[in-house]
Amino acid sequence: MGSGIRCILPTERRRGAIRLAGNGGQWPASGVNDDLQTLFSFLRFPSVSTDSRHKGDVRACAGWLADLLNSSGLSAVIHETPGHPVIVAKNLHRADRRTVMIYGHYDVQPADPLHLWTTPPFEPQIRDGRVYARGAADNKGQMLAHVLGAAKTLAGSGDLPVNLVFLFEGEEEIGSPNLGPFLAEHAASLKADMIAISDSGMVAPGVPTLGYGLRGIACCEVIVRGPKGDLHSGVFGGAVANPATAIARLVATLHDADGRIAVDGFYNDVRPLESWEREAWAEVPGMSDVDIAKITGAPALFGEPGFTSAERIWARPTAEINGIGGGYQGEGSKTVLPAEAFAKLSFRLVPDQDPEDILAKVRDHLVRHAPRGVEVEVLPGHHGKPYVADPGSAFGTAASVALSRAFGADPVRIREGGSIPIVRTLSETLGADTLLLGLALSDSQVHAPDENFPVAHFEGGIRMQQALLEELAR
Ligand code: BES
Ligand code: ZN
């Protein structure tokens, strides 16, 4: 993988390291090529945080990012952690200015399944006005727009109108296990008046979107164990319980037939939607039930009765089976009665649900519903609390103005269905609101093959960062 910041040299930039796969005249307006080249350099690092084989790549990516920040006129420090490094970069802080934190993550999800990518995931290409690569939208393209925006303002006026703190981590995609302790240790030097994050979406192309909430998440794995080893299903089948059948029965108890979650007390702490939210969300473009059906390609919509798709995604909790397995998975058939089976579960949570409370309730539910003849073990996983802020605050107004200056329209206000597990801790530790100025699209294929990010949103994001710092200084 490339290391250092060779991308900064203009001669190198022109050397043709990027490929414009069959896009003839698609190259965006002149003057943005250097920024895109920098993005391409960033995207070439396979900084997959969950895979220990990529530890060196994650570290190299952190080094590259710190070099870029330093060469932009900020002071960047790489902080080692028990996992992947945290980078903090600041301008010269003055006591008479507001302090703005921008958070982002330079780690990415694994690129699998590789064969479904049109072009290799770590060889960025532009097609039809979008950059295709793992991490293009989540989160490298979005966070880099903030870095480049700050760099441009610094280059133009030699200073920024605010005290800026960039906080970039390499473990968001694995639940930020080391960032909480890092924040607790460095809280004093990270003090900020507000926190802005671009690690979410726009509801439709060019529709500026202000996010004022995120769902939380609680993960666990359930393992069902039967006989001491795999058995011949003819020799023993019928006399002992089949763990694969048992896991299917068990996960099926999580919902009722209408899609409501059937875990006792699951909805106890769910804060109802505000009526202004229901009214506003009904008007949000790109998020009608028809849009959601089209984007997902699902044969029909299905979810908790009494709510629209937008409400189900942004303000209602869920229980999902992210993976399920056990027994023979290969070609043809194999008459085996597997010794065990498993399911990986995650629960999206909304204010005021608490992940640890939910995991305890889920554990009780799964153990109580264990089918006869098997043993059930529940292994808790990572979790993060849900978050909601007031979009009508002074910060919300400044962020809205910055969004409309960059994208030429008033922003819509939404909560996000996805999770950024550290946000609640970040806001609570620093005592500052967090708002989301998302730039990805619902078809940006985040976490999936052919992840992509519109060049226009990258460029708009750079303008947005410049406008944001100006508006927050007022
Ligand atoms: N950028 C996403 C979160 C996101 C996506 C927020 C879309 C809003 C809209 C983030 O990188 C992510 O994928 N988070 C994970 C967290 C998990 C791995 C702990 C998620 O939401 O699944
Ligand atoms: Zn992600």
Side-chain angles (χ1 to χ4, degrees):
M1 259 333 289
S3 60
I5 50 163
R6 284 171 294 122
C7 61
I8 294 301
L9 301 172
T11 44
E12 290 243 355
R13 281 193 190 114
R14 273 188 272 280
R15 227 168 44 192
I18 52 165
R19 284 191 267 148
L20 303 173
N23 72 333
Q26 305 271 7
W27 186 253
S30 61
V32 296
N33 298 10
D34 288 356
D35 295 336
L36 279 170
Q37 282 287 22
T38 307
L39 175 58
F40 282 18
S41 298
F42 196 12
L43 292 170
R44 286 192 193 101
F45 292 94
S47 49
V48 182
S49 50
T50 195
D51 188 340
S52 56
R53 289 170 303 180
H54 285 297
K55 194 169 170 60
D57 296 314
V58 179
R59 186 64 184 71
C61 188
W64 177 92
L65 181 57
D67 286 349
L68 176 69
L69 290 159
N70 281 321
S71 71
S72 304
L74 300 162
S75 312
V77 178
I78 300 180
H79 297 268
E80 301 299 339
T81 74
H84 301 302
V86 171
I87 298 174
V88 175
K90 298 180 182 180
N91 61 340
L92 204 60
H93 284 198
R94 286 190 350 214
D96 60 336
R97 297 194 296 207
R98 288 213 180 96
T99 303
V100 181
M101 174 179 280
I102 310 278
Y103 160 93
H105 63 94
Y106 64 89
D107 64 321
V108 299
Q109 286 272 325
D112 315 64
L114 288 175
H115 70 280
L116 292 180
W117 285 78
T118 306
T119 51
F122 298 106
E123 295 175 28
Q125 297 201 359
I126 295 180
R127 295 192 296 276
D128 299 325
R130 296 193 185 199
V131 178
Y132 284 81
R134 168 58 81 235
D138 184 9
N139 172 231
K140 288 174 174 173
Q142 299 196 59
M143 58 156 278
L144 187 66
H146 285 278
V147 174
L148 296 178
K152 280 182 209 303
T153 300
L154 270 169
S157 41
D159 197 5
L160 298 174
V162 297
N163 301 328
L164 180 63
V165 181
F166 277 128
L167 175 70
F168 297 134
E169 68 157 319
E171 300 190 319
E172 193 274 346
E173 300 290 7
I174 51 173
S176 305
N178 292 296
L179 191 54
F182 178 86
L183 291 175
E185 195 186 327
H186 294 87
S189 69
L190 294 171
K191 264 215 79 52
D193 299 302
M194 59 274 290
I195 304 158
I197 304 179
S198 294
D199 186 24
S200 55
M202 282 188 177
V203 292
V207 178
T209 303
L210 181 68
Y212 59 93
L214 286 159
R215 288 197 288 192
I217 190 165
C219 300
C220 67
E221 181 164 346
V222 50
I223 302 166
V224 167
R225 296 200 174 85
K228 66 185 180 201
D230 285 2
L231 301 174
H232 188 296
S233 63
V235 175
F236 295 103
V240 293
N242 183 319
T245 308
I247 196 86
R249 293 179 73 95
L250 186 56
V251 297
T253 66
L254 288 170
H255 296 92
D256 69 17
D258 289 329
R260 278 181 65 87
I261 294 154
V263 174
D264 270 357
F266 188 86
Y267 292 97
N268 282 359
D269 299 318
V270 171
R271 212 191 285 181
L273 271 140
E274 305 269 348
S275 51
W276 71 264
E277 294 180 298
R278 300 193 91 158
E279 277 164 37
W281 293 356
E283 307 297 321
V284 170
M287 281 300 290
S288 72
D289 286 358
V290 173
D291 293 319
I292 299 298
K294 202 160 129 205
I295 294 165
T296 60
L301 295 176
F302 176 72
E304 195 185 355
F307 297 94
T308 65
S309 292
E311 291 166 355
R312 288 169 178 165
I313 295 170
W314 293 337
R316 300 297 297 173
T318 65
E320 299 290 353
I321 322 299
N322 300 125
I324 186 162
Y328 182 60
Q329 313 275 323
E331 195 180 336
S333 61
K334 178 182 188 231
T335 49
V336 66
L337 194 163
E340 60 180 54
F342 71 92
K344 290 175 184 280
L345 313 180
S346 65
F347 299 82
R348 295 284 167 175
L349 309 178
V350 301
D352 296 305
Q353 290 178 296
D354 176 73
E356 293 191 17
D357 173 62
I358 291 296
L359 281 179
K361 287 177 168 142
V362 166
R363 197 190 161 283
D364 283 356
H365 175 98
L366 293 170
V367 169
R368 264 194 301 116
H369 288 80
R372 289 211 309 251
V374 295
E375 280 167 3
V376 168
E377 187 183 11
V378 182
L379 306 171
H382 62 70
H383 49 79
K385 290 179 180 171
Y387 182 75
V388 67
D390 172 14
S393 63
F395 176 26
T397 305
S400 296
V401 174
L403 277 163
S404 54
R405 280 178 57 189
F407 292 99
D410 284 340
V412 295
R413 294 168 169 193
I414 68 161
R415 296 200 233 160
E416 288 285 357
S419 307
I420 305 175
I422 201 64
V423 162
R424 179 78 168 269
T425 310
L426 199 55
S427 270
E428 285 175 358
T429 309
L430 308 186
D433 273 3
T434 298
L435 289 174
L436 301 145
L437 295 82
L439 300 169
L441 284 176
S442 46
D443 64 353
S444 281
Q445 304 270 107
V446 295
H447 295 201
D450 281 351
E451 178 174 352
N452 64 83
F453 188 48
V455 173
H457 288 197
F458 179 57
E459 295 169 340
I462 295 171
R463 295 193 301 271
M464 177 185 80
Q465 163 74 354
Q466 296 187 275
L468 181 68
L469 299 188
E470 285 173 23
E471 294 304 326
L472 291 177
R474 285 185 212 285

